Amino acid sequence: MVDLIRGDGGRARRGEPVGDRYDDEEEEYFEPISAAEAAREGMRQIVELTGRDPMGTTSLKSSRDGWIVGVEVVEDPRIPSSIDLLGLYEVELDLEGALLGYRRVRRYQRGKGEVG
């Protein structure tokens, strides 16, 4: 069953009333974001929250409530850049792209990531 967002922020199941109408009607309150939009939004959120330079998205996974986006950032730039400290963050977004939460998963030196 697909959850839809009601106007009051609650959730309604398909076929249940949403406000003064049913969610089966032609018009819906929101359009779920695409995978590409989720990746861009995840990176934008991390930049806004941490103020760090993003390297890019490293993963994207759909979840029951939306998307989980992996974003790699430069946490501590060094000279030479081959010894920068990088961080890998997970950003959780809802179906509309709103931030649900984030966390740093790993911190590591550039070039010394996991092998295998």
Side-chain angles (χ1 to χ4, degrees):
M1 228 176 232
V2 176
D3 286 344
L4 297 176
I5 307 298
R6 295 193 313 233
D8 64 0
R11 296 205 182 269
R13 298 240 178 237
R14 185 163 297 288
E16 293 180 351
V18 179
D20 60 349
R21 65 174 191 76
Y22 284 82
D23 61 9
D24 287 351
E25 295 176 15
E26 291 179 30
E27 188 179 333
E28 288 191 10
Y29 282 107
F30 73 94
E31 188 72 28
I33 62 172
S34 69
E37 291 169 324
R40 283 189 295 273
E41 183 60 20
M43 192 171 347
R44 189 190 72 74
Q45 289 285 354
I46 283 298
V47 169
E48 189 173 314
L49 291 165
T50 66
R52 301 180 195 241
D53 293 329
M55 298 291 296
T57 56
T58 60
S59 63
L60 179 66
K61 178 180 168 187
S62 64
S63 70
R64 183 175 187 272
D65 296 324
W67 296 97
I68 298 172
V69 184
V71 179
E72 190 174 54
V73 301
V74 177
E75 292 214 327
D76 190 8
R78 300 198 174 165
I79 298 174
S81 62
S82 61
I83 59 171
D84 287 347
L85 287 180
L86 305 178
L88 180 60
Y89 287 81
E90 253 182 17
V91 182
E92 187 176 358
L93 305 173
D94 70 11
L95 294 171
E96 294 180 76
L99 180 69
L100 296 174
Y102 82 101
R103 69 186 180 109
R104 184 173 62 197
V105 178
R106 296 182 44 216
R107 192 169 191 212
Y108 51 95
Q109 189 174 5
R110 186 187 302 266
K112 299 218 177 172
E114 291 179 291
V115 177

